[in-house]
Amino acid sequence: MNLNQVLEEARLKAKEVKTSHELAELKASYLGKKSILNELMATMKNLSIEEKKTLGQQVNACKGELEEIFLLRRQEMEALEVEKRLASEAIDVTLPGKQVARGTHHPLTLVQQEIEDIFISMGYSIEEGPEVELDLYNFEMLNLPKGHPAREMQDTFYFDEVTLLRTHTSPVQVRTLLKDKGAPVKIICPGKVYRRDDDDATHSHQFMQIEGLVVDENITMADLKGTLLEISKKMFGEDRKIRLRPSFFPFVEPGLEVDVSCFACGGAGCPMCKHTGWIEILGAGMVHPNVLEMAGYDHHKFKGFAFGMGIERIALLRYGIDDIRHFYTNDIRFLKQF
Ligand code: PHE
């Protein structure tokens, strides 16, 4: 084999090596102790001085070229390594980010917020009260003394003689009147309430109400009616009418139940309104003089109206849900729809 062939072969082999280890082995096979070139040199002892000289020069030149071939290949491999690493570390800033699963608002929260917004736009402020309440505020000061038969309208969870889970948001009426000590009041109070009901499609031992209370001089039932009509329109559509039916709650006089004309059929009658054309949405009335007096308001000077509505009922109607228990069983498939 002549030296040119050696170089040619070395070039081809260098191209094929994949790792620096392979390259080092290849280099050793050409330039190491047992290399072809050294074998060639070993034959030199039989040659003439002249021949030795030329062959020696040729072999040295060839060694130089081989060094060059392997060096270039090493640099080439290193450059490729860098390229590969850069490619693997590259970040495409235009790619979309990872999707984070986001929760949704609970339908009851949505309805609560919507109702709050309507009242805030009408100048009401929002009050809150405790869910663990005194009998005093939940019943007594709402004109429901101990032993009053109307207490049984609301089956109560008692902790002891004086403490209970509030059965309605009306105790916040009393708390607000006591706090505001004779000044005009215009509030709503959303919150959870509890009753000893057996849970079924239309009953839950825990539910939500929004209480409303307005107390000032010269408040009349016309104010109550105007307010209820206004919120019914905002909640259920501009064409809504309302109907007030006499009813009884001990803390109001007169007491009313309020119906809104059915927003599904417009009043003609359909399954939603049980073919009556009307849907009951809340209880209301003019604040009873006893309630005003017990809280320190002069009932000759001050008059007021109050109302209480169930948030679940409105959410059931609004979203066409057929079972109140859906609100509390927290099935993600249900909750995700809102
Ligand atoms: N608190 C009453 C209930 O829960 C509703 C109501 C509130 C009625 C205010 C009249 C006035 O049934």
Side-chain angles (χ1 to χ4, degrees):
M1 177 151 51
N2 70 33
L3 290 173
N4 280 335
Q5 278 174 318
V6 169
L7 286 175
E8 199 48 44
E9 189 193 79
R11 264 191 207 101
L12 286 174
K13 284 188 176 165
K15 261 187 209 153
E16 272 160 27
V17 298
K18 296 255 154 40
T19 65
S20 53
H21 181 69
E22 281 171 20
L23 183 62
E25 276 184 348
L26 184 64
K27 187 175 167 184
S29 72
Y30 279 94
L31 295 166
K33 277 192 187 127
K34 286 179 187 155
S35 66
I36 313 165
L37 289 182
N38 278 356
E39 275 169 28
L40 207 62
M41 294 290 265
T43 61
M44 276 184 26
K45 54 182 181 261
N46 307 320
L47 298 178
S48 70
I49 304 225
E50 267 312 299
E51 282 172 327
K52 270 186 190 167
K53 207 175 155 191
T54 7
L55 186 62
Q57 277 170 356
Q58 284 172 347
V59 167
N60 276 342
C62 180
K63 276 186 177 174
E65 286 208 38
L66 283 169
E67 293 278 2
E68 175 90 4
I69 287 168
F70 297 129
L71 178 69
L72 282 176
R73 179 57 184 152
R74 207 183 74 217
Q75 287 171 345
E76 192 180 65
M77 281 165 70
E78 279 169 4
L80 271 173
E81 259 328 289
V82 171
E83 228 168 80
K84 248 206 254 164
R85 207 189 69 228
L86 287 181
S88 77
E89 287 174 359
I91 294 171
D92 182 350
V93 292
T94 65
L95 285 175
K98 273 189 194 142
Q99 285 281 337
V100 177
R102 289 173 66 186
T104 52
H105 280 302
H106 194 281
L108 295 178
T109 307
L110 292 175
V111 170
Q112 178 184 336
Q113 287 173 347
E114 188 185 331
I115 297 173
E116 284 178 3
D117 285 347
I118 295 172
F119 281 106
I120 286 169
S121 78
M122 292 165 79
Y124 286 71
S125 50
I126 296 180
E127 283 288 338
E128 274 177 5
E131 290 167 29
V132 176
E133 186 52 284
L134 296 173
D135 182 289
L136 182 69
Y137 297 152
N138 194 81
F139 290 129
E140 209 123 328
M141 289 185 75
L142 285 169
N143 204 28
L144 273 143
K146 291 223 160 60
H148 193 292
R151 281 191 178 213
E152 311 206 335
M153 285 162 69
Q154 304 181 353
D155 271 324
T156 310
F157 290 109
Y158 276 96
F159 294 101
D160 53 43
E161 283 278 293
V162 292
T163 356
L164 44 74
L165 282 175
R166 68 179 176 192
T167 57
H168 50 179
T169 42
S170 300
V172 183
Q173 288 189 35
V174 178
R175 287 178 173 274
T176 309
L177 292 173
L178 289 173
K179 188 180 68 166
D180 288 2
K181 293 195 185 79
V185 166
K186 192 173 179 185
I187 57 117
I188 56 163
C189 163
K192 290 195 200 91
V193 302
Y194 303 85
R195 290 186 198 175
R196 273 177 36 213
D197 262 330
D198 289 330
D199 293 357
D200 63 25
T202 54
H203 295 85
S204 169
H205 63 282
Q206 173 197 318
F207 57 102
M208 294 193 74
Q209 289 188 328
I210 291 191
E211 190 82 10
L213 175 67
V214 175
V215 173
D216 206 339
E217 295 174 32
N218 307 317
I219 294 288
T220 70
M221 205 142 114
D223 296 309
L224 172 59
K225 195 177 172 191
T227 304
L228 294 174
L229 181 60
E230 186 64 21
I231 58 162
S232 300
K233 287 181 170 183
K234 288 217 168 101
M235 268 165 22
F236 297 109
E238 272 307 309
D239 298 336
R240 297 287 67 75
K241 296 194 198 91
I242 56 166
R243 178 173 83 168
L244 310 184
R245 283 178 290 112
S247 182
F248 174 74
F249 302 97
F251 32 93
V252 286
E253 181 58 38
L256 311 164
E257 254 155 48
V258 182
D259 301 336
V260 59
S261 58
C262 180
F263 52 85
C265 63
C270 72
M272 175 91 101
C273 56
K274 301 199 182 98
H275 304 283
T276 63
W278 295 95
I279 296 176
E280 187 194 324
I281 54 161
L282 51 81
M286 301 305 292
V287 181
H288 198 290
N290 288 354
V291 173
L292 289 169
E293 290 292 332
M294 277 188 273
Y297 279 69
D298 176 358
H299 85 272
H300 294 291
K301 186 171 166 206
F302 283 99
K303 300 275 181 280
F305 65 76
F307 54 85
M309 65 180 110
I311 299 183
E312 280 80 357
R313 180 151 173 74
I314 303 211
L316 290 170
L317 294 167
R318 165 65 52 89
Y319 297 117
I321 298 163
D322 58 3
D323 193 323
I324 195 172
R325 288 168 294 194
H326 285 312
F327 292 129
Y328 293 104
T329 41
N330 285 333
D331 185 333
I332 291 284
R333 292 165 303 177
F334 170 76
L335 295 175
K336 269 211 294 220
Q337 300 174 60
F338 302 94

